[in-house]
Amino acid sequence: HLTGTRPSFESTYRMLHKDGDYRWVTTRGTAVRDVHGVATRIAGSQRDVTQTIGYDSLTGLPNRLLFLDRLAHVMERARRHKRFDYAVLFLDLDRFKWVNDSLGHGPGDQLLAEFSRRLKRVVRGLDTVARLGGDEFALVLEDVGDLAAAGRAANRIQQTLEAPIVLDGKEIYASASIGITMAKPEYGRPEELLRDADIAMYRAKSGGRARHEVFDQHMHAEAVSRLQVEGELRRSLEAGALRAFFQPIIDLSTGGIVAVEALVRWPHPVRGLVFPDQFIPLAEETGLIHSIDRFVLRQGVEQVRRWQQQFEGRVPLEVSVNMSRVQFGRGGMIEEVERILAETGLPPASLSLELTESVVMDDPAGVRDVLWRLRERGIGLSIDDFGTGYSSLSFLQQLPFSTIKIDRSFVSKLPSQSGAQDFVRAIIVLSRAVRARVIAEGVETAEQLAVLRELGCDWAQGYLFSKPVDVPAMEALLASGISWPAPEATH
Ligand code: C2E
Ligand code: CA
Ligand code: CA
């Protein structure tokens, strides 16, 4: 250009940085001429404008701001033509946090970049694809026609993720949860569409991931109340207002209490005593679960240490504490457990941490190491709800579980339902083979207790003995020296 009449130029374009990111740069140049007016060189500047230009540097996609701007234009056009046939899709990669935590940020970034490439491939050139931040993406589908077509687009996106993504030599199967909201004349601002698509995405995620949901109005009310509950739960936790209840665990050979399981309760000013089913799922989604688990761990350990000193028995009372499956073992968990034991003086062997099978199956390599380190310190490890997941025999053999808890759903089928007895017997045989203790959960009737005894089950807990109770009630039970009839007495 510069040899012609134009004195200067300006151009904005993207460059592939050697770290793999795109950078947007603006280059400006002015011709420098000699005395005869001939251009001899260029004086100019080059500026990295990635942040201001509205593009995400990792994927080269429009960022949130640019997305909202484009969506505003689409809305404006729709209003002019009175044709509200566009849709907004909100996408969130499933388990992205897990990739980042277990493989590191490099592979995490690669995953995002590959996902955005695949996204671009499935949408039409006109549609806007954007990265909103983190592992969140959004799409505007123009002239999409109807909801069914938007749903098909969501399915196409899921399909592109069916092929594995290779990260660091490992094959990863990614999936996304997708929320869809259809255009409506009532939408005033682009943020509102994005918000509703986000709410629908959340529903897709809690409905089991790798799926899509379409926004409808009552989701909005639910989202508001969820936020409210989250806030209340956080405040209760900070105020130290959660409580551990205790359920006794009975040694079937003596009939006496040998252990207690600590179970969280949330005393709520309006709703009364709230049970874990009502808030643990929310706590897991929001990450509050880690604080809850730590809180219950500390309360349980402190309390049981006090009871050990108060009621010196033949065997020291043990305490079992539930550990969430979310990111088990991370964030200094081992150190925290050690600190609590040291501070309270509870022998490590008196503590057992309960985890479900899925904790291990989701991330075998990462969890295995944590389990061994806990076990080396003498801390007990229990598999909770055994039989409901999909543990393999080799997994049982390789991991240092000290206790297996037979899920209540099997115990409740005893003795009447055919096959239940064989199943429970098989679990007990299996536990013997891996030298683990067996605890039957949810024992409600004397018949169930009799069968379990006959099968050689070690310990049991359930409403037959006691529901989970608060500290004074549990203390009364321990003080009474109560014991349930031993086998000799029942015959
Ligand atoms: P879980 O670990 O399987 O705990 C046993 C649940 O079964 C308890 O419910 C207990 O009240 C109930 N239960 C005990 N005996 C019987 C019986 O004979 N019949 C029947 N029908 N139910 C019985 P709860 O306390 O409502 O806890 C529910 C679940 O919430 C627990 O299941 C556990 O997965 C989770 N949870 C409780 N506390 C915590 C905690 O501090 N941290 C974490 N991460 N999860 C917790
Ligand atoms: Ca449990
Ligand atoms: Ca259980």
Side-chain angles (χ1 to χ4, degrees), residues 31-75:
V32 179
R33 297 166 196 276
D34 64 13
V35 287
H36 310 291
V38 176
T40 54
R41 55 191 186 91
I42 301 172
S45 65
Q46 197 168 43
R47 207 155 56 91
D48 184 336
V49 292
T50 312
Q51 292 305 316
T52 49
I53 197 82
Y55 289 89
D56 166 53
S57 65
L58 175 68
T59 60
L61 294 176
N63 63 17
R64 184 182 207 99
L65 272 178
L66 185 55
F67 178 80
L68 289 171
D69 186 54
R70 293 212 183 150
L71 180 54
H73 285 297
V74 172
M75 293 172 82

Side-chain angles (χ1 to χ4, degrees), residues 41-239:
R41 55 191 186 91
I42 301 172
S45 65
Q46 197 168 43
R47 207 155 56 91
D48 184 336
V49 292
T50 312
Q51 292 305 316
T52 49
I53 197 82
Y55 289 89
D56 166 53
S57 65
L58 175 68
T59 60
L61 294 176
N63 63 17
R64 184 182 207 99
L65 272 178
L66 185 55
F67 178 80
L68 289 171
D69 186 54
R70 293 212 183 150
L71 180 54
H73 285 297
V74 172
M75 293 172 82
E76 184 46 44
R77 254 201 312 279
R79 253 192 300 276
R80 266 205 314 273
H81 300 294
K82 300 210 166 32
R83 283 188 50 167
F84 298 94
D85 57 356
Y86 59 93
V88 170
L89 273 62
F90 193 110
L91 300 86
D92 186 289
L93 278 173
D94 297 325
R95 304 202 312 156
F96 177 71
K97 216 168 138 38
W98 175 82
V99 170
N100 242 353
D101 289 342
S102 55
L103 301 180
H105 291 289
D109 284 355
Q110 283 173 38
L111 174 59
L112 294 172
E114 176 60 22
F115 179 56
S116 73
R117 272 192 289 277
R118 293 187 187 188
L119 260 185
K120 274 183 278 189
R121 232 180 284 146
V122 286
V123 301
R124 295 166 304 174
L126 287 175
D127 297 325
T128 294
V129 186
R131 178 173 176 218
L132 303 175
D135 59 341
E136 294 176 349
F137 294 81
L139 280 175
V140 192
L141 302 178
E142 289 187 66
D143 311 319
V144 71
D146 57 8
L147 201 52
R152 282 196 295 277
N155 288 337
R156 278 203 305 278
I157 293 168
Q158 302 289 14
Q159 279 159 18
T160 61
L161 287 171
E162 278 167 10
I165 296 174
V166 180
L167 301 175
D168 243 10
K170 296 185 189 68
E171 281 194 348
I172 299 289
Y173 287 87
S175 64
S177 297
I178 303 174
I180 304 176
T181 190
M182 287 300 288
K184 267 187 308 206
E186 293 82 52
Y187 279 120
R189 296 184 313 125
E191 285 87 351
E192 295 167 5
L193 277 139
L194 202 56
R195 176 200 66 204
D196 288 352
D198 185 5
I199 289 171
M201 183 286 291
Y202 178 88
R203 178 64 81 81
K205 186 145 291 209
S206 50
R209 304 186 174 124
R211 40 182 288 155
H212 66 263
E213 284 283 347
V214 178
F215 177 79
D216 68 54
Q217 210 48 50
H218 67 256
M219 284 185 187
H220 190 233
E222 268 175 41
V224 170
S225 96
R226 202 169 53 229
L227 267 179
Q228 212 171 349
V229 173
E230 187 195 339
E232 286 176 354
L233 182 57
R234 198 181 290 278
R235 283 191 293 279
S236 293
L237 190 59
E238 279 161 7

Side-chain angles (χ1 to χ4, degrees), residues 269-342:
V270 181
R271 294 159 73 196
L273 200 62
V274 186
F275 283 69
D277 296 348
Q278 301 291 308
F279 62 91
I280 294 275
L282 176 79
E284 287 185 336
E285 283 154 19
T286 54
L288 277 179
I289 191 67
H290 301 293
S291 312
I292 293 179
D293 282 353
R294 266 207 301 276
F295 185 83
V296 173
L297 176 70
R298 180 169 283 275
Q299 243 184 32
V301 166
E302 279 173 355
Q303 187 56 60
V304 167
R305 180 63 192 147
R306 249 174 267 141
W307 283 333
Q308 281 187 346
Q309 289 162 328
Q310 214 172 324
F311 310 103
E312 270 178 86
R314 202 168 43 79
V315 282
L317 188 69
E318 294 183 15
V319 60
S320 245
V321 181
N322 295 284
M323 288 286 138
S324 158
R325 59 188 175 79
V326 181
Q327 289 205 310
F328 171 77
R330 293 188 219 291
M333 189 201 111
I334 297 179
E335 292 72 18
E336 175 79 10
V337 172
E338 282 193 311
R339 190 170 335 118
I340 293 174
L341 289 175

